[in-house]
Amino acid sequence: MTNIRRALIPLAVLALVLAGYGVHRSGARGEMVWNRVAATGDCHCADGSRFFFWERRADPAKVVFFLNGGGVCWDPRMCAFTGEHGENDFYDWSNSAVEPENRSGMFDTTRADNPFAGYSFLYVSSCTGDAHLGNASHTYSPGLTVEHRGYVNGTAALAYLAEHYPRAEQVVVVGKTAGSVAAPIYGGLVADRLPGAKVTVFGAQSGAWPDNPDFNATVLDARWGAYDAMPGWAVDGLTARDWGVPRFWARAARHDPAIVLARFDFAYDPHATSELTRWLHGNPPDLLAEIDGNEAAIEAAGARLHSYTAPGADHQIFEPDRFYDIRVKRVRLVDWIRALTTGHPPADVHCDRCGP
């Protein structure tokens, strides 16, 4: 409780503490106070441990639903419960090391140019190796059974959003790396739960993920059980098993055309697809060609996907302060995001000299 004593806690947050919702922590700059929320229902991390998410209570009319990354896995080597603090080299398999405090970037709410400064936040970590999509218990070896329950966990946080922010006027679903894979699906689910809210989806750094039948069958279906968990949106006669990752965007757009959809990618981010190489085109694959090809296919399927493609091979954007420094063709990323969320979707931004 040391951090709580040092921070000035708003009365609304103090009320949550007294109500027993969870442990509050203050951010590094003394502004963001987080409440840990124990998820209800059959929610677990990959190792069967308890799943929880985090809340920053601010403006109840404006909410960021943040789907964190955390990596993915689909074989015994990738999914092993090795390493320290609940994470190995491929994914986080428990929540033990995840706390959204001491952040900068978009979590620095003291900056006037932060487009999310006044928002409430729900911070949903991935600890199941399935990009927030799974609902399966998969045995990879005699001593390794993984609870791929990302969709169960994510929709529990979504139910909390709908219950505690019923009058939300604006919800921005932000997906980071692997968390951005499912972001358009959650955008559609938010629109279903909160029909009066304007919903914006901003997914970062999964633009090169493939729509590959082998990947869809081997990983999404057989390992993660994602297709059995998908919402029953009947669109153009296609069932969930007709959806690959890029098609998630088109399905969400056709399900609710009012959703604003947007993505960000570095043109040659090697970390965004490091495990996916065998399902991409070429050896080595041209990541920018994959990103551009996926966007063309999404828009050909009837979606309007706003996009910002930056040069180079960087990876993180949300936590570092360079969130405020990224600029392509004189368009600053934070200004572009602000336009997305204020009813004036901007033109696409794409680097000319994109090389790493």
Side-chain angles (χ1 to χ4, degrees), residues 98-182:
V98 179
E99 293 184 3
E101 61 177 329
N102 301 326
R103 302 284 181 140
S104 52
M106 72 173 284
F107 298 95
D108 179 3
T109 58
T110 67
R111 292 191 60 139
D113 53 351
N114 184 343
F116 305 116
Y119 281 64
S120 296
F121 278 74
L122 293 181
Y123 186 102
V124 184
S125 293
S126 174
C127 61
T128 53
D130 56 26
H132 301 278
L133 289 169
N135 188 14
S137 180
H138 191 83
T139 299
Y140 287 93
S141 68
L144 179 64
T145 297
V146 174
E147 299 297 329
H148 290 301
R149 304 293 181 183
Y151 188 81
V152 179
N153 297 345
T155 51
L158 184 64
Y160 183 93
L161 167 68
E163 179 182 353
H164 290 82
Y165 298 87
R167 295 180 178 82
E169 298 171 3
Q170 188 167 37
V171 178
V172 183
V173 179
V174 176
K176 170 190 168 184
T177 58
S180 67
V181 171

Side-chain angles (χ1 to χ4, degrees), residues 242-255:
D242 297 305
W243 302 1
V245 170
R247 295 193 201 186
F248 294 168
W249 296 92
R251 296 304 96 194
R254 299 297 292 274
H255 174 65

Side-chain angles (χ1 to χ4, degrees), residues 9 31 91 104 113 147 225 257 268 277 334-335 352-353:
I9 305 177
E31 288 295 323
Y91 81 120
S104 52
D113 53 351
E147 299 297 329
Y268 292 100
T277 302
V334 290
D335 296 334
D352 290 329
R353 298 180 180 180

Side-chain angles (χ1 to χ4, degrees), residues 283-303:
N283 188 21
D286 183 334
L287 295 182
L288 181 59
E290 297 281 345
I291 292 167
D292 290 344
N294 282 342
E295 180 169 346
I298 291 165
E299 296 206 323

